[in-house]
């Protein structure tokens, strides 16, 4: 049995990616089980999705703690302790990351034992599909890695997308981009890894007083510590020569993370801006541009 | 017949479509919503000739389902967890109307704390209502059980509503290959519903769901429901035989997995049973004579079949994916009651596992088999919560973040 685990952000397409490779393998006559795991639905929240593929019966359910292949659709998840996309990665396994960085760089930065493969899916998505939704692209790289045939992938993308998008042109672009990603990689000789058991022991849970055991949070303002804006594809950038300080962007920001600097110009808290770009949309002077790339600090922004 | 990758929810919708139901009152709730979304899409596209009404709540939804069924049409509805509880008053009420509607419950843990993962406290709350209960392990079973549920419920000897249960996420959002039968085959198995006790005819007025004052009258109606539920055992078995003849898939009141020569037995229901079966296979490789028994029908409770299947076994572990605070596992108590008068009864152990969808790891199954082999020497509480050291450490971290130190 081959086990694949996808990590992405809500809205990025991890669920459809896991289904695409699942459907492709099903079309090739395999037994397949795929499913997504997300909490209360929220765009941008870390989600995971799973695909199990076997010639025989699949006697497992639920999350895959020890995947053969990990597909990370969002680079910023690598350092997210809750998403922990690299957990259970194995020496004999494969980790794919959507990033412009090199595999060697990632191996060193994150101490990864597995074979690392990278490709800048976001750039391919923006260039070829005009969108940073990466479902079919991630499905394509996963299919390639495990050795699914090109025709099966094409049929699977067609089948999965025809149920959710009516625009034929968009569907064709997705197929084209998926095939481009597929052909950009080489298949990997996959060997099914032996699961490691016996890591944890069963305990007898002790009683704790309600002060501890009631579901209440006593710590204040912990949300400030969570960098909810670390994953955006685009970020707003102000041209202060054009800005007239009308503050419409400040009032329209759903996250409340645009404030005024000492000169009265809007300035964004990049740690919490989710890149929704409502400010870009709302600015009457068109003084805000959507830009890509790593987040510079405020000094560099004003200096650009 | 065609074979497709379907989620449990999509399989449920296919079952409803093939049963050619007349009326679907609906209200959304995670993780059930995909069922009614799929149905409303088909109805809007004209591939289903069904009346679909979105209601203001589950209480109204279950009332509408019961009322429609009382006019003699075939009715389907679905809910989950808090939704089932919100409509709970009407669960008892419509069962008393003797209306054979089918309700799918997509199991999800109950508040508080609020959660999304599955366990069975929601569906087991309906245990004493008069609804019959079928529990499914996989997506194919969901589709098949909807068809079987109508066939069983609409039998003159039964006429009680049925809950078909599947686990949220583990089935509802999980895709597996599912065989979708042709509608002609289904029509042979499940003919149109034409009841003689519930109809809506201008020339034949009738009052339904009336009140009775006086315990002797009330007792009569309640005990009749009990007898009808007992009848459902035979009707269900006959339904299984007919189903196998038509579609080739074999079901029974219980599923026995490697049970024949087993000495140590797990008892589980719904989708986690798959993991239990894998644990049985691993235990067998270690030389432990392991087996698994999965009740598919919980109401009526298949006591005879369970007694027969467990006769002579050394020890049995009931893994309850529910908890009755202050007592323990609900199925454990039912099993203990079922086996108490048996001369050759097995030693019985009680575990609580999978609450809120918590995984049951291979190590936890190993722990259970270790205890089963010890039998009366076992060192576990009744019930023993399946919880690992790793999970406890994770909980400590969460408490630290929440300022609980």
């Amino acid at each position: 049995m081959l086990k694949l685990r996808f990590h992405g952000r809500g809205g990025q397409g991890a669920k459809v990616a896991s289904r695409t490779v699942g459907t492709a393998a099903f079309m090739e006559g395999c037994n397949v089980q795929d499913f997504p795991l997300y909490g209360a639905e929220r765009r941008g929240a870390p989600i995971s999705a799973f695909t199990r593929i076997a010639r025989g019966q699949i006697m497992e359910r639920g999350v895959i703690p020890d995947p053969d292949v990990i597909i990370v659709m969002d680079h910023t998840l690598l350092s997210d302790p809750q998403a922990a996309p690299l957990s259970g990665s194995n020496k004999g396994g494969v980790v794919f990351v959507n990033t412009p960085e090199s595999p060697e760089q990632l191996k060193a930065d994150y101490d990864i034992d597995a074979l690392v493969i990278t490709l800048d899916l976001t750039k391919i998505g923006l260039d070829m599909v005009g969108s940073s939704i990466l479902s079919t692209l991630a499905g394509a790289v996963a299919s390639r890695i495990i050795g699914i045939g090109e025709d099966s992938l094409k049929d699977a993308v067609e089948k999965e997308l025809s149920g959710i998008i009516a625009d034929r042109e968009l569907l064709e672009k997705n197929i084209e981009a998926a095939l481009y990603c597929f052909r950009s990689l080489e298949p990997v000789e996959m060997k099914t890894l032996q699961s490691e058991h016996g890591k944890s022991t069963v305990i007898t849970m002790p009683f704790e007083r309600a002060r501890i055991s009631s579901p209440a949070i006593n710590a204040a303002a912990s949300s400030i510590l969570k960098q909810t804006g670390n994953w955006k594809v685009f970020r707003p950038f102000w041209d202060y020569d054009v800005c007239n300080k009308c503050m419409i962007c400040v009032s329209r920001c759903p996250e409340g993370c645009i404030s005024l600097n000492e000169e009265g110009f809007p300035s964004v808290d990049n740690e919490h801006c989710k890149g929704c770009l409502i400010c870009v949309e709302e600015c009457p002077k068109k003084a805000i541009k959507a830009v890509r790339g790593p987040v510079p600090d405020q000094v560099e922004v004003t200096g650009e | 017949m065609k074979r497709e990758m379907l989620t449990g929810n999509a399989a449920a919708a296919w079952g409803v479509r093939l049963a050619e139901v007349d009326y679907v009152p609906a209200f959304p709730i995670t993780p059930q919503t995909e069922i009614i979304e799929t149905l409303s899409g088909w109805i809007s596209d004209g591939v289903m000739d069904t009346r679909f009404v979105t209601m203001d709540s589950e209480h109204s939804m279950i009332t509408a389902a019961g009322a429609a069924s009382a006019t003699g049409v075939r009715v389907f509805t679905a809910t989950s967890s808090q939704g089932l509880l919100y409509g709970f008053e009407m669960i008892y009420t419509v069962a008393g109307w003797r209306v054979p509607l089918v309700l799918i419950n997509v199991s999800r843990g109950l508040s508080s704390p609020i959660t999304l993962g599955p366990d069975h406290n929601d569906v087991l709350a309906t245990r004493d209502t008069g609804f019959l209960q079928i529990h499914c392990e996989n997506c194919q079973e969901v589709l098949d059980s909807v068809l079987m549920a109508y066939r069983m419920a609409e039998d003159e000897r039964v006429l009680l509503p049925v809950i078909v249960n599947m686990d949220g996420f583990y089935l509802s959002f999980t895709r597996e290959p599912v065989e979708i039968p042709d509608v002609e085959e289904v029509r042979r198995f499940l003919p149109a519903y034409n009841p003689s006790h519930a109809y809506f005819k201008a020339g034949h007025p009738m009052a339904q769901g009336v009140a009775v004052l006086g315990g002797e009258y009330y007792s009569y109606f309640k005990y009749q429901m009990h007898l009808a539920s007992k009848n459902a055992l035979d009707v269900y078995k006959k339904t299984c035989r007919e189903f196998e003849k038509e579609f080739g898939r074999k079901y029974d009141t219980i599923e026995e997995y490697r049970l024949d020569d087993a000495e140590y037995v797990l008892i589980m229901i719904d989708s986690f049973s798959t993991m239990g079966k894998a644990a049985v296979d691993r235990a067998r490789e270690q030389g432990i004579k392991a087996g698994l028994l999965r009740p598919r029908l919980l109401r009526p409770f298949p006591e005879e079949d369970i007694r027969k299947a467990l006769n002579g076994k050394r020890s049995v572990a009931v893994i309850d994916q529910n908890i009755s605070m202050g007592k323990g596992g609900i199925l454990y108590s039912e099993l203990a009651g079922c086996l108490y008068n048996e001369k050759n009864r097995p030693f019985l152990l009680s575990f609580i596992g999978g609450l809120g969808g918590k995984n049951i790891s291979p190590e936890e199954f190993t722990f259970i088999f270790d205890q089963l082999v010890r039998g009366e020497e076992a060192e576990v509480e009744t019930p023993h919560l399946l919880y690992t050291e790793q999970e406890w450490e994770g909980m400590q971290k969460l408490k630290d973040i929440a300022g609980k130190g």
Side-chain angles (χ1 to χ4, degrees):
Chain A
M1 179 165 58
L2 272 176
K3 294 177 278 190
L4 296 90
R5 193 173 71 203
F6 295 77
H7 292 271
R9 300 275 183 183
Q12 242 177 358
K15 172 182 168 179
V16 175
S18 79
R19 283 187 173 218
T20 301
V21 62
T23 296
F26 176 65
M27 284 169 165
E28 295 196 349
C30 294
N31 259 326
V32 178
Q33 189 191 77
D34 60 52
F35 85 108
L37 190 71
Y38 38 88
E41 293 87 338
R42 182 170 68 82
R43 184 161 281 257
I47 80 147
S48 40
F50 310 85
T51 311
R52 291 182 170 95
I53 300 168
R55 289 282 165 203
Q57 248 192 314
I58 297 173
M59 298 287 278
E60 289 185 9
R61 290 195 180 280
V63 301
I64 297 174
D66 50 355
D68 305 294
V69 179
I70 297 173
I71 306 285
V72 184
M73 294 169 67
D74 193 295
H75 188 158
T76 62
L77 288 171
L78 288 173
S79 47
D80 186 309
Q82 259 190 313
L86 297 175
S87 72
S89 76
N90 212 309
K91 208 169 191 167
V94 179
V95 174
F96 171 88
V97 184
N98 165 28
T99 177
E101 283 182 31
S102 71
E104 294 71 31
Q105 186 67 41
L106 286 186
K107 265 178 106 75
D109 288 354
Y110 296 96
D111 196 20
I112 307 170
D113 263 350
L115 170 67
V116 178
I117 302 172
T118 65
L119 190 64
D120 192 349
L121 295 186
T122 307
K123 185 170 186 316
I124 296 168
L126 290 170
D127 290 349
M128 295 186 72
V129 189
S131 154
S132 57
I133 301 171
L134 309 172
S135 49
T136 48
L137 285 64
V141 297
S143 299
R144 181 59 159 178
I145 288 167
I146 64 168
I148 299 264
E150 193 172 305
D151 288 343
S152 308
L153 169 70
K154 206 172 152 212
D155 291 347
V157 172
E158 171 95 40
K159 190 166 170 55
E160 285 311 309
L161 288 194
S162 58
I164 46 180
I165 53 177
D167 182 350
R168 188 67 220 177
E169 203 184 324
L170 184 59
L171 200 152
E172 293 293 346
K173 281 183 185 171
N174 265 283
I175 292 177
E176 208 183 311
L179 291 179
Y180 175 82
C181 294
F182 185 89
R183 290 168 190 155
S184 301
L185 302 184
E186 290 297 320
V188 177
E189 188 72 36
M190 297 295 309
K191 29 186 192 298
T192 298
L193 306 170
Q194 202 59 40
S195 308
E196 287 173 39
H197 296 317
K199 280 180 202 151
S200 194
T201 48
V202 176
I203 58 159
T204 301
M205 189 183 282
F207 168 77
E208 296 195 314
R209 284 166 300 151
R211 188 175 65 77
I212 303 289
S213 65
S214 66
I217 297 171
N218 298 92
S222 56
S223 59
I224 294 169
L225 304 173
K226 180 84 183 164
Q227 296 190 2
T228 46
N230 67 342
W231 54 274
K232 53 193 165 283
V233 180
F234 291 98
R235 62 189 163 84
F237 178 76
W238 278 259
D239 183 346
Y240 290 159
D241 292 337
V242 182
C243 175
N244 66 353
K245 305 180 181 175
C246 71
M247 301 213 300
I248 286 178
C249 57
V250 178
S251 65
R252 291 286 194 273
C253 175
E255 303 299 323
C257 60
I258 303 175
S259 55
L260 299 181
N261 66 15
E262 282 167 5
E263 291 112 55
F265 284 114
S267 160
V268 68
D269 168 5
N270 268 309
E271 285 184 357
H272 296 94
C273 165
K274 292 177 181 165
C276 70
L277 305 181
I278 287 173
C279 51
V280 174
E281 200 68 31
E282 294 291 326
C283 178
K285 300 295 281 182
K286 303 286 167 222
I288 314 173
K289 276 204 261 322
V291 295
R292 272 202 81 195
V295 176
D297 62 32
Q298 203 55 48
V299 182
E300 284 175 27
V301 171
T302 46
E304 259 181 57
Chain B
M1 194 273 285
K2 55 182 171 177
R3 197 158 171 270
E4 278 200 37
M5 289 288 291
L6 295 184
T7 59
N9 281 341
W14 263 108
V16 177
R17 173 170 163 173
L18 291 169
E20 299 182 290
V21 304
D22 301 295
Y23 180 62
V24 179
F27 192 82
I29 183 170
T30 300
Q32 167 278 135
T33 310
E34 189 189 4
I35 300 176
I36 58 169
E37 274 174 0
T38 308
L39 290 174
S40 68
W42 283 335
I43 292 165
S44 143
D45 293 346
V47 293
M48 272 179 83
D49 181 18
T50 302
R51 177 96 173 133
F52 183 94
V53 181
T54 49
M55 308 300 289
D56 62 290
S57 71
E58 287 86 354
H59 191 280
S60 305
M61 179 186 90
I62 294 163
T63 312
S69 188
T71 69
V73 299
R74 189 172 281 161
V75 177
F76 171 79
T77 193
T79 189
S80 174
S81 186
Q82 307 300 127
L84 183 69
L85 259 60
Y86 195 70
F88 198 67
E89 179 189 11
M90 295 314 293
I91 290 285
Y92 267 92
T93 303
V94 302
W97 294 350
R98 305 296 300 273
V99 286
L101 61 92
V102 173
L103 182 153
I104 285 194
N105 181 64
V106 184
S107 264
R108 168 182 148 192
L110 295 169
S111 283
S112 283
I114 195 159
T115 194
L116 294 168
D119 67 37
H120 302 142
N121 270 101
D122 60 356
V123 63
L124 290 177
T126 69
R127 188 183 59 157
D128 310 328
T129 60
F131 269 71
L132 311 177
Q133 280 189 23
I134 300 175
H135 288 252
C136 303
E137 183 189 339
N138 55 49
C139 298
Q140 182 72 58
E141 235 182 291
V142 174
L143 190 157
D144 293 348
S145 296
V146 171
L147 303 177
M148 296 172 79
Y150 280 112
R151 167 94 186 228
M152 167 170 71
E154 290 171 2
D155 191 289
E156 282 283 317
R157 289 163 290 174
V158 180
L159 289 170
L160 285 167
V162 187
I163 287 178
V164 174
N165 197 67
M166 75 168 115
D167 286 335
F169 298 92
Y170 285 80
L171 283 198
S172 71
F173 295 169
T174 297
R175 294 199 317 169
E176 295 175 337
V178 174
E179 283 187 11
I180 306 172
D182 296 329
V183 71
E184 290 76 23
E185 293 175 284
V186 174
R187 281 180 192 148
R188 277 199 299 270
F189 170 75
L190 182 66
Y193 173 50
N194 284 310
S196 60
H197 80 299
Y199 50 80
F200 192 68
K201 291 174 189 157
H204 297 87
M206 159 169 61
Q208 292 198 40
V210 297
V212 293
L213 296 178
E216 67 275 37
Y217 308 127
Y218 182 81
S219 304
Y220 167 81
F221 291 109
K222 285 292 171 183
Y223 202 71
Q224 284 299 320
M225 286 170 72
H226 170 69
L227 295 176
S229 186
K230 298 285 273 185
N231 284 347
L233 265 180
D234 278 343
V235 175
Y236 173 83
K237 282 173 181 273
K238 186 167 168 264
T239 302
C240 290
R241 289 194 294 273
E242 296 290 321
F243 190 90
E244 190 187 356
K245 219 188 292 168
E246 194 64 58
F247 305 104
R249 286 185 293 279
K250 191 174 162 68
Y251 295 104
D252 207 331
T253 56
I254 55 173
E255 188 199 349
E256 301 179 28
Y257 184 77
R258 304 187 80 164
L259 205 57
D260 271 355
D261 65 334
E263 293 178 352
Y264 307 102
V265 181
L266 302 180
I267 295 189
M268 299 176 78
I269 56 172
D270 291 277
S271 69
F272 277 51
S273 312
T274 307
M275 304 183 224
K277 288 175 183 174
V280 165
D281 289 349
R282 287 194 301 272
R284 286 266 176 179
E285 280 167 26
Q286 309 286 315
I288 299 167
K289 285 192 166 177
L292 180 140
L293 187 156
R294 176 174 71 95
R296 219 176 91 76
L297 194 64
L298 275 195
R299 282 294 178 274
F301 194 62
E303 291 201 310
E304 271 311 309
D305 292 345
I306 291 175
R307 276 190 205 122
K308 215 184 288 170
L310 295 181
N311 183 46
K313 305 299 179 199
R314 285 169 92 115
S315 41
V316 170
V318 184
I319 305 179
D320 270 287
Q321 205 173 348
N322 65 76
I323 183 164
S324 173
M325 287 79 169
K327 178 67 174 81
I330 295 169
L331 285 182
Y332 168 77
S333 295
E334 299 228 326
L335 256 292
C338 166
L339 296 172
Y340 182 76
N341 283 332
E342 291 298 283
K343 279 203 189 93
N344 218 354
R345 67 188 179 207
F347 187 70
L348 211 52
L349 287 167
S350 172
F351 295 90
I352 306 276
L355 293 184
K358 191 194 95 69
N359 183 43
I360 305 179
S361 61
E363 300 96 87
E364 285 159 282
F365 280 111
T366 304
F367 176 80
I368 294 170
F369 279 114
D370 283 350
Q371 301 298 329
L372 278 173
V373 171
R374 288 188 192 191
E376 285 173 38
E377 310 290 313
E379 285 173 352
V380 278
E381 304 177 312
T382 303
H384 193 98
L385 178 73
L386 296 174
Y387 208 79
T388 65
E389 209 175 326
Q390 227 172 3
E391 286 161 343
W392 180 254
E393 283 162 13
M395 190 63 224
Q396 295 303 111
K397 267 188 211 150
L398 194 72
K399 284 188 280 189
D400 285 345
I401 293 169
K404 296 287 201 177

